Amino acid sequence: RMFQYHGIKHILRVLVLTLIFIEHSGMSLTEEDKQILIYFALLHDIGRDNEDKDDTHGDKSVDLIRKNNIRLKGVQLSKKGYRIAKLIIRHHCRDDEISMERIAKMPNFTAKDLGRAVKLYNIAKDMENSNAAQTAAEYLDQQIDEAQQANANAGITVVAEGDEPAI
């Protein structure tokens, strides 16, 4: 699927913004919290099948992750870490009020787990929806376009394993 907005550029923007946030926010994050945010950035829209507002693509993304047992090389999460990551992916496309209600009802989560999940949810939503990053996003788009054009001019085709891009 090729998307104008929610394609590879969007995923890369969310990832870059996440990495910048992790490095420069000054917020206290555990190593696993950082890994959860990276996991989110790379997989949050994997189930998207349209460009429209879609409150269900988070569910579709988690279903694909589970069905295909998707793990990312270099991302090490505990069982609880994966639960939190999937929870954030599932709810990132919904209204915050609905998401908070559902997060609060997570079985077997302590108050500390819930606080952590809410904190990471809010960070992930900010990275995914950041209006403040529009200028940076446009710059990244321009850099990606220029790199793709340079590769095309040099006869280089960049693809993931297989016939189609992995994301």
Side-chain angles (χ1 to χ4, degrees), residues 14-79:
V14 175
L15 177 62
V16 167
L17 291 170
T18 299
L19 294 172
I20 291 169
F21 179 87
I22 287 169
E23 187 65 30
H24 298 288
S25 72
M27 187 176 282
S28 177
L29 296 169
T30 67
E31 189 57 38
E32 186 172 55
D33 290 346
K34 295 172 187 177
Q35 297 290 305
I36 289 169
L37 292 170
I38 291 167
Y39 190 86
F40 167 83
L42 292 170
L43 298 177
H44 71 281
D45 280 346
I46 197 169
R48 182 174 274 284
D49 56 14
N50 64 65
E51 287 279 31
D52 303 324
K53 179 171 175 21
D54 179 0
D55 293 347
T56 65
H57 77 271
D59 294 322
K60 294 173 191 171
S61 294
V62 171
D63 290 346
L64 276 172
I65 291 166
R66 284 190 174 142
K67 178 182 175 187
N68 296 298
N69 195 30
I70 296 174
R71 299 289 186 259
L72 299 176
K73 189 175 185 176
V75 174
Q76 301 295 317
L77 299 176
S78 65
K79 283 185 179 183

Side-chain angles (χ1 to χ4, degrees), residues 22-159:
I22 287 169
E23 187 65 30
H24 298 288
S25 72
M27 187 176 282
S28 177
L29 296 169
T30 67
E31 189 57 38
E32 186 172 55
D33 290 346
K34 295 172 187 177
Q35 297 290 305
I36 289 169
L37 292 170
I38 291 167
Y39 190 86
F40 167 83
L42 292 170
L43 298 177
H44 71 281
D45 280 346
I46 197 169
R48 182 174 274 284
D49 56 14
N50 64 65
E51 287 279 31
D52 303 324
K53 179 171 175 21
D54 179 0
D55 293 347
T56 65
H57 77 271
D59 294 322
K60 294 173 191 171
S61 294
V62 171
D63 290 346
L64 276 172
I65 291 166
R66 284 190 174 142
K67 178 182 175 187
N68 296 298
N69 195 30
I70 296 174
R71 299 289 186 259
L72 299 176
K73 189 175 185 176
V75 174
Q76 301 295 317
L77 299 176
S78 65
K79 283 185 179 183
K80 188 163 284 178
Y82 276 113
R83 284 186 69 207
I84 292 171
K86 290 173 189 170
L87 179 70
I88 295 167
I89 290 169
R90 181 176 301 284
H91 294 291
H92 84 277
C93 54
R94 294 192 173 102
D95 178 72
D96 286 342
E97 188 175 324
I98 293 168
S99 296
M100 289 300 129
E101 287 175 14
R102 293 184 180 174
I103 290 170
K105 294 178 182 175
M106 281 301 293
N108 303 317
F109 267 33
T110 64
K112 183 178 178 181
D113 295 333
L114 289 173
R116 180 179 178 210
V118 167
K119 173 181 166 181
L120 295 175
Y121 167 86
N122 286 324
I123 294 168
K125 287 274 291 211
D126 285 347
M127 297 304 102
E128 207 257 345
N129 295 318
S130 181
N131 289 329
Q134 188 60 38
T135 302
E138 290 169 2
Y139 173 77
L140 288 173
D141 282 348
Q142 180 183 356
Q143 295 301 307
I144 291 167
D145 288 343
E146 289 174 9
Q148 289 173 335
Q149 186 60 48
N151 286 340
N153 291 343
I156 299 170
T157 303
V158 180
V159 290

